[in-house]
Amino acid sequence: MSSTLPNSPLTTYVLNTGDGVPGARMALSLHRLDSLLVIWNLVTVGTTDEDGRCPGLITTKAFTPGMYKMRFETGQYWESLGQNSFYPYVEIVFTITNPNERFHLPLLLSRFSYSTYRGS
Amino acid sequence: THVLNTGMGVPGAHMALSLHRMDPSTSLWNLLTTGTTNDDGRCPGLITRETFTPAVYKIRFETGQYWGSLGETSFYPYVEIVFTITDHSQKFHVPLLCSRFSY
């Protein structure tokens, strides 16, 4: 969709803290809440690269103020490594008021724990 | 559960939360319990052993409301943690350590 885009204002980074490696080849999707209909619209699907990153998530133009959700297919990820996990997936819902800033949404993840923070 | 406000170094007290179970045939969430954390950030009595059947569950924490009541904004309007219970004879502790910009 926007795979050739150099500078998405929203970036992510998945780290497998259980094994001490990047969370590579994890499927994820970005959604925006339609505030009128109160339903989630799918904006992008992607997969993290070998480094646990996923460039080209959204264009600056599409990155309007609103409520967004990033869904990480963590259950699938652990299964592909032959492991189970406490969480079938991780969804992080966040609010963008000023889309002119840059937002970095990392996910630090093990089979039984995860954490995220707002970076830039 | 146990909610900790890591931004201020205090328990996440008086935070509204709810526990839901996914209905496997419809994939809809059924509300099981609503509650509010006490002064210690805990919420006893979330579920009984009988009701705690193997399934996919979700705890939703009204973190946005919580920060709002402290006069602050937050990056996250709420936090939902979805987890799978296969062995319901065990005890599970799902704590939430949160600040305005991290959890």
Side-chain angles (χ1 to χ4, degrees):
Chain A
M1 213 180 276
S2 40
S3 51
T4 55
L5 190 76
N7 286 311
S8 169
L10 176 68
T11 52
T12 188
Y13 188 18
V14 184
L15 289 145
N16 173 344
T17 55
D19 296 324
V21 296
R25 295 182 289 282
M26 180 184 292
L28 54 80
S29 52
L30 175 67
H31 309 252
R32 187 196 293 109
L33 184 74
D34 181 321
S35 41
L36 221 56
L37 303 173
V38 196
I39 56 171
W40 291 104
N41 292 323
L42 177 66
V43 173
T44 319
V45 287
T47 312
T48 56
D49 57 23
E50 293 300 309
D51 197 32
R53 301 179 195 273
C54 193
L57 273 174
I58 193 167
T59 62
T60 313
K61 196 150 156 239
F63 195 47
T64 53
M67 196 181 295
Y68 289 80
K69 169 170 79 173
M70 190 95 87
R71 176 176 167 128
F72 298 87
E73 303 300 340
T74 57
Q76 266 179 28
Y77 170 79
W78 290 110
E79 261 180 58
S80 74
L81 296 177
Q83 315 231 259
N84 60 12
S85 164
F86 190 45
Y87 315 98
Y89 56 87
V90 168
E91 285 187 346
I92 298 168
V93 181
F94 55 100
T95 309
I96 301 296
T97 40
N98 181 2
N100 296 316
E101 296 176 42
R102 302 186 70 78
F103 295 84
H104 186 55
L105 204 87
L107 176 67
L108 291 86
L109 167 81
S110 76
R111 293 167 63 205
F112 302 107
S113 167
Y114 68 90
S115 175
T116 185
Y117 61 87
R118 188 220 148 146
S120 57
Chain B
T1 189
H2 189 190
V3 184
L4 290 142
N5 174 342
T6 55
M8 293 162 59
V10 294
H14 318 296
M15 181 186 289
L17 54 80
S18 51
L19 175 66
H20 310 250
R21 187 200 292 116
M22 184 181 284
D23 182 321
S25 41
T26 59
S27 284
L28 296 177
W29 291 105
N30 293 324
L31 175 66
L32 297 177
T33 321
T34 58
T36 310
T37 56
N38 57 24
D39 283 339
D40 199 31
R42 299 177 195 273
C43 193
L46 273 175
I47 194 167
T48 63
R49 194 160 285 288
E50 288 95 43
T51 330
F52 195 46
T53 53
V56 174
Y57 289 82
K58 169 170 82 172
I59 300 191
R60 176 177 166 127
F61 298 87
E62 301 301 339
T63 55
Q65 264 179 30
Y66 169 79
W67 291 108
S69 74
L70 296 177
E72 307 248 49
T73 60
S74 167
F75 190 45
Y76 314 99
Y78 57 87
V79 168
E80 287 187 344
I81 298 170
V82 181
F83 54 99
T84 310
I85 301 296
T86 39
D87 180 2
H88 58 139
S89 63
Q90 291 182 41
K91 295 181 81 65
F92 294 86
H93 189 57
V94 184
L96 175 66
L97 292 82
C98 65
S99 74
R100 294 169 63 208
F101 300 106
S102 169
Y103 67 88

